[in-house]
Amino acid sequence: GDYGISKNPESFASQAYKAYFSDRSRGVILKLDGQGVIPISDHGMKDWFADNLVNTTNVIGSYDDKKDSYNVTLTKSNHDDKTVSFGERTNGWTSFKSFIQEGGLSLNNRYYTFKGGNIWRHHVSVNGTANFYGIRQNPYVDALFNQLPGSVKSFGSLRYEGSQSKVTLNLIDEEYNNNVT
């Protein structure tokens, strides 16, 4: 075929009838299933992987059964390491993660990664905070929109659930109204 696992067998992860791996020399992340070999890096991140895979020292993959996602970590010699997730439900790259794994696996619907010789269980709350590898993280979401306000935007993986949305005052208008006599 056109692709191979290159020299990064640590990028291999499997779940049921699917296998995931990287072809670093061609700059792609692949999925092997009943339909054949599919370059999943083409799902919205083709350029990013083409630019970033060639400069990596390791490509580490693992599958999170609970979130139904393939997590791939790219480590670089300059320590600009990144972990990104491919979601099966959305058939796309869902997020960058704040953890950098040295390995990972799912067991009994629990997801574990390894860092510094220790095993870490994910999807558990530690005092209500995001805590990865013993370091508290501040979770955040970057919403990206294009600059064309007249175009229709369609999101396949954005969901909102809640009883009432947060209402934020427009502080500029409020300040203007207070200064008008």
Side-chain angles (χ1 to χ4, degrees):
D2 295 331
Y3 303 106
I5 199 165
S6 295
K7 295 180 181 178
N8 297 98
E10 68 276 8
S11 69
F12 181 84
S14 65
Q15 193 277 334
Y17 59 90
K18 299 173 286 209
Y20 300 86
F21 56 96
S22 70
D23 186 337
R24 190 174 79 167
S25 62
R26 289 179 181 80
V28 294
I29 302 291
L30 302 155
K31 176 172 79 169
L32 173 64
D33 64 10
Q35 298 175 1
V37 177
I38 302 162
I40 59 174
S41 52
D42 288 358
H43 295 246
M45 292 190 60
K46 183 176 184 173
D47 289 339
W48 190 88
F49 279 110
D51 294 342
N52 287 279
L53 274 173
V54 295
N55 298 320
T56 60
T57 55
N58 286 313
V59 184
I60 302 156
S62 63
Y63 198 86
D64 182 349
D65 281 343
K66 185 172 179 101
K67 297 293 182 181
D68 204 17
S69 62
Y70 172 65
N71 294 319
V72 61
T73 300
L74 282 59
T75 61
K76 298 181 180 184
S77 58
N78 67 358
H79 302 291
D80 185 25
D81 305 337
K82 303 279 188 217
T83 299
V84 62
S85 295
F86 179 83
E88 277 298 321
R89 293 182 195 121
T90 59
N91 197 29
W93 296 95
T94 56
S95 66
F96 284 91
K97 304 291 187 174
S98 57
F99 64 86
I100 305 299
Q101 65 180 333
E102 294 172 351
L105 59 92
S106 286
L107 179 64
N108 296 329
N109 204 31
R110 292 184 176 153
Y111 180 59
Y112 301 93
T113 59
F114 305 96
K115 181 76 169 184
N118 294 309
I119 186 168
W120 299 87
R121 182 174 165 199
H122 291 248
H123 314 306
V124 292
S125 178
V126 178
N127 298 327
T129 64
N131 190 320
F132 295 108
Y133 308 136
I135 300 169
R136 186 186 184 289
Q137 303 289 327
N138 292 317
Y140 64 92
V141 174
D142 283 334
L144 303 175
F145 295 96
N146 65 24
Q147 296 180 355
L148 302 171
S151 69
V152 175
K153 285 112 178 124
S154 176
F155 300 98
S157 59
L158 183 66
R159 302 275 190 269
Y160 174 79
E161 181 178 326
S163 58
Q164 181 176 345
S165 63
K166 180 179 178 182
V167 177
T168 304
L169 292 175
N170 185 337
L171 299 177
I172 295 171
D173 288 347
E174 186 70 28
E175 188 175 302
Y176 174 78
N177 290 335
N178 288 337
N179 291 331
V180 175
T181 56

